[in-house]
Amino acid sequence: MTGDDPNWPRASHWLAQRREAPIALSVLGVPMNNSITPGRCDMAPAAIRQALDRYSLNDPDAGIDLASLAVADIGDVTFSGASSEEVFFRIVQGIKKAAANVFAVAIFGGDNAITYPGMHALNLPFARCGLLTFDAHHDVRDLEGGLTDGNPIRALLRAGLPGANIIQLGIQPFTNSPAYAGVAREAGITVVTADEVYARGIDAAVSGALELLAAKTDAIYVDLDMDVLDRAFAPAAAGSRPGGLQPWMLRRAARLCGAHPSVRIMDFVEIDPTKDVADCTVLAAASFFLAFASGVAERIRM
């Protein structure tokens, strides 16, 4: 442990500092818990912040010291006593506030349902918005029971987001039904399976997806569902299965997303801290956030 060593600044202290404008990156917790599988995803924002206590600010691969990046933690959206309509409004307004006059926003979920209001917070016609997901699932289940973590993409398609503006990386075998795979295919969603990501390489897969979306849109939202990871690395993600991606791949992916000028928002979702083992899932999410922040710093430097 680093204790209070002034030569080993903790990422948690960096995030907690109060800074005056201008801010480059803002962080917002959205403890939504509309999961199909009962759990406590609402506890994840606090768990991710706590996990940052075990990381430094030095990214040697990118040559970045995050101490130079001005970050602001906006806190969490509160849901107490709110109807589903009020929750949607609070999330959208909270993200819009966090996004004002910054390069990018990082959202600590919560479950994957937050991607639906998150896309609305881009405040652009959906025809001009792109969505890149890292996910084992298509998330296009039926909407009859309302918005859940299993159907935010289906809800966005219904709301007018063109399927051609969606790219999904990391889709795994035997985690989606033929019917829902058909929904994604008929909507025109570009699907890159986990095996295809391994074959192409994570850098090529992510860079290619970002460039494709940037060529046809004005802003990109990135959704990182932790169940895209192999289950050995994400026991706290209910939907994770053996055969998924590895943490080093998602860390590189997050840095690439942070560095891309079209990426405005990235969420980190689907962690139930009560199901974690040795904190490996929340530690992974915290490292992905730091990699995203490193990418934002690189974006500014460029």
Side-chain angles (χ1 to χ4, degrees):
M1 297 298 291
T2 60
D4 295 322
D5 186 346
N7 295 312
W8 211 100
R10 298 172 186 249
S12 56
H13 296 171
W14 164 74
L15 182 61
Q17 288 178 0
R18 296 297 177 185
R19 295 176 177 83
E20 300 296 329
I23 300 298
L25 172 67
S26 60
V27 174
L28 180 69
V30 182
M32 180 176 276
N33 198 33
N34 286 2
S35 301
I36 296 172
T37 303
R40 294 301 308 273
C41 286
D42 56 306
M43 297 173 63
I48 296 172
R49 291 183 177 100
Q50 184 174 359
L52 289 171
D53 201 48
R54 296 161 73 177
Y55 284 105
S56 77
L57 301 176
N58 182 43
D59 183 352
D61 292 311
I64 295 290
D65 179 358
L66 287 180
S68 65
L69 183 70
V71 64
D73 188 349
I74 308 299
D76 290 356
V77 176
T78 58
F79 298 149
S80 178
S83 65
S84 58
E85 292 80 8
E86 289 172 326
V87 166
F88 174 83
F89 178 79
R90 289 183 187 181
I91 295 173
V92 172
Q93 293 306 115
I95 299 173
K96 284 182 178 179
K97 179 181 177 182
N101 302 313
V102 299
F103 285 90
V105 178
I107 301 174
F108 294 166
D111 64 48
N112 214 156
I114 68 176
T115 302
Y116 179 69
M119 281 291 294
H120 283 80
L122 288 175
N123 206 30
L124 289 168
F126 273 163
R128 302 303 307 163
C129 295
L131 174 60
L132 173 61
T133 77
F134 296 91
D135 204 320
H137 308 91
H138 295 299
D139 289 347
V140 293
R141 287 176 179 261
D142 288 335
L143 296 166
E144 294 177 357
L147 182 66
T148 70
D149 64 340
N151 60 24
I153 307 303
R154 187 71 167 268
L156 286 165
L157 291 170
R158 184 178 66 177
L161 180 65
N165 289 11
I166 304 172
I167 299 178
Q168 297 187 314
L169 299 184
I171 300 297
Q172 292 191 43
F174 315 116
T175 58
N176 298 277
S177 73
Y180 291 137
V183 170
R185 182 172 57 252
E186 291 170 12
I189 294 172
T190 298
V191 174
V192 183
T193 67
D195 284 356
E196 289 173 327
V197 172
Y198 275 106
R200 291 174 56 184
I202 190 66
D203 288 35
V206 175
S207 296
L210 290 171
E211 290 311 310
L212 283 172
L213 291 175
K216 65 175 72 174
T217 66
D218 296 323
I220 298 173
Y221 185 108
V222 181
D223 163 38
L224 198 166
D225 184 330
M226 294 294 289
D227 73 18
V228 76
L229 288 167
D230 188 291
R231 188 158 184 83
F233 305 111
S240 64
R241 297 292 182 267
L245 303 185
Q246 298 183 38
W248 70 266
M249 302 170 78
L250 271 297
R251 190 174 62 241
R252 291 184 67 86
R255 187 186 294 117
L256 288 168
C257 291
H260 198 283
S262 292
V263 173
R264 297 285 294 126
I265 303 170
M266 184 168 185
D267 69 34
F268 304 83
V269 298
E270 292 294 321
I271 301 172
D272 178 354
T274 67
K275 302 293 176 60
D276 215 354
V277 177
D279 299 326
C280 64
T281 316
V282 294
L283 284 169
S287 74
F288 302 157
F289 160 66
L290 291 173
F292 179 68
S294 181
V296 173
E298 185 176 348
R299 185 193 312 190
I300 296 171
R301 184 175 64 183
M302 295 170 61

